[in-house]
């Protein structure tokens, strides 16, 4: 059974940093692209970024709203994807989800972790 | 960037009704479209990928169609567990983008 478990969320002040983790199990982690999405309270879904699998050089892409502030990385030996969030803004407040992607679709989602950016 | 426009934003329907949700892309995306269902407080779940392919385990009352810019999600006979919000997502190019969502409510 595929499982994705996000952790690391919490309350943080504007301008500070936070690192989220996505621990995966039930599949060969290195074979898949891993995405991060977010959903602000009461709002729709927003793509944050992706890290491709080893076969594609573990390259990354980011949404314009987070480019230069957020960094996605992965540790295939531990089956973990990370989202390093720097220079956080109040508008980054959201539930953050990681996903496993294939054929252009998000096959599996984690339960999400809430990040609240507030002074 | 590709924009995704979903309609309607909400629909009231009864159990047994046929419900159709449309999604329009601002430019052609071939069949690079997925549909998700999200219930309150829960993560989204994949229903349809590549515009018309039913994800394993999803009931056959759900179906998807379309290509290019216009897509449709149909629920052939609405069940109580189908009351939720539905999102389309394009996967043709970055940035990935979602429609604004369609909330299916009980009439």
């Amino acid at each position: 059974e595929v499982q994705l478990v996000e952790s690391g969320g919490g309350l943080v002040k504007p301008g500070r940093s936070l690192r989220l983790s996505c621990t995966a199990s039930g599949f060969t982690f290195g074979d898949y692209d891993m995405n991060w999405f977010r959903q602000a309270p009461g709002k729709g879904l927003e793509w944050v970024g992706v890290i491709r699998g080893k076969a594609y050089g573990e390259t990354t892409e980011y949404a314009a709203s987070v480019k230069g502030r957020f960094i996605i990385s992965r540790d295939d030996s531990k089956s973990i994807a990370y989202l390093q969030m720097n220079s956080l803004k109040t508008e980054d407040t959201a539930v953050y989800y990681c996903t496993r992607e294939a054929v252009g679709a998000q096959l599996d989602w984690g339960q999400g972790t809430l990040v609240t950016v507030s002074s | 960037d590709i924009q995704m426009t979903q309609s309607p934003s909400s629909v009231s329907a009864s159990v047994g009704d046929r419900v159709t949700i449309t999604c329009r892309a601002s430019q052609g995306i071939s069949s690079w479209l997925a549909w998700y269902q999200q219930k309150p407080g829960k993560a989204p779940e994949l229903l349809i990928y590549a515009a018309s392919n039913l994800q394993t385990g999803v009931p056959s009352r759900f179906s998807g169609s379309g290509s290019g810019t216009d897509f449709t999600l149909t629920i052939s006979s609405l069940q109580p567990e189908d009351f939720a919000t539905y999102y389309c997502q394009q996967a043709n190019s970055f940035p990935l983008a979602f429609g604004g969502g369609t909330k299916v409510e009980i009439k």
Side-chain angles (χ1 to χ4, degrees):
Chain A
E1 179 196 6
V2 171
Q3 273 201 309
L4 299 172
V5 179
E6 300 94 342
S7 59
L11 175 63
V12 61
K13 289 180 166 45
R16 298 289 183 92
S17 298
L18 201 62
R19 188 178 79 161
L20 306 184
S21 299
C22 170
T23 302
S25 60
F27 64 98
T28 304
F29 184 75
D31 288 351
Y32 290 87
D33 296 354
M34 299 297 293
N35 283 265
W36 287 92
F37 294 87
R38 66 185 180 182
Q39 188 169 36
K43 302 297 185 182
L45 296 163
E46 180 187 13
W47 175 71
V48 173
V50 63
I51 185 164
R52 298 180 178 89
K54 182 164 283 187
Y56 296 94
E58 300 186 357
T59 52
T60 55
E61 306 282 350
Y62 297 96
S65 58
V66 307
K67 195 169 186 178
R69 298 189 299 125
F70 289 12
I71 299 170
I72 300 174
S73 60
R74 62 191 298 158
D75 184 337
D76 290 355
S77 69
K78 296 181 180 178
S79 297
I80 300 178
Y82 299 100
L83 178 63
Q84 176 68 43
M85 303 185 293
N86 302 319
S87 303
L88 281 161
K89 306 175 181 180
T90 55
E91 53 263 41
D92 294 320
T93 293
V95 174
Y96 284 74
Y97 297 99
C98 66
T99 70
R100 176 176 73 126
E101 178 184 326
V103 292
Q106 314 312 314
L107 302 181
D108 303 283
W109 296 67
Q111 85 287 353
T113 187
L114 176 63
V115 173
T116 303
V117 184
S118 174
S119 54
Chain B
D1 296 0
I2 297 173
Q3 315 299 322
M4 305 301 292
T5 304
Q6 247 181 273
S7 61
S9 57
S10 66
V11 58
S12 293
S14 301
V15 172
D17 284 354
R18 181 182 185 90
V19 173
T20 300
I21 299 168
T22 63
C23 183
R24 174 165 287 175
S26 60
Q27 61 191 77
I29 58 170
S30 185
S31 294
W32 291 104
L33 186 98
W35 290 97
Y36 303 88
Q37 177 193 69
Q38 187 178 32
K39 296 181 179 178
K42 300 293 187 181
E45 294 184 358
L46 177 65
L47 299 173
I48 302 285
Y49 63 93
S52 61
N53 293 273
L54 195 67
Q55 171 67 346
T56 302
V58 175
S60 59
R61 62 181 179 272
F62 291 93
S63 64
S65 64
S67 67
T69 60
D70 294 311
F71 302 87
T72 299
L73 174 71
T74 300
I75 310 172
S76 60
S77 177
L78 200 65
Q79 297 303 300
E81 59 268 30
D82 301 337
F83 292 96
T85 299
Y86 294 83
Y87 293 94
C88 61
Q89 176 235 311
Q90 70 84 14
N92 182 77
S93 61
F94 293 110
L96 304 185
F98 290 87
T102 297
K103 187 172 184 180
V104 177
E105 300 174 298
I106 301 172
K107 181 183 274 186

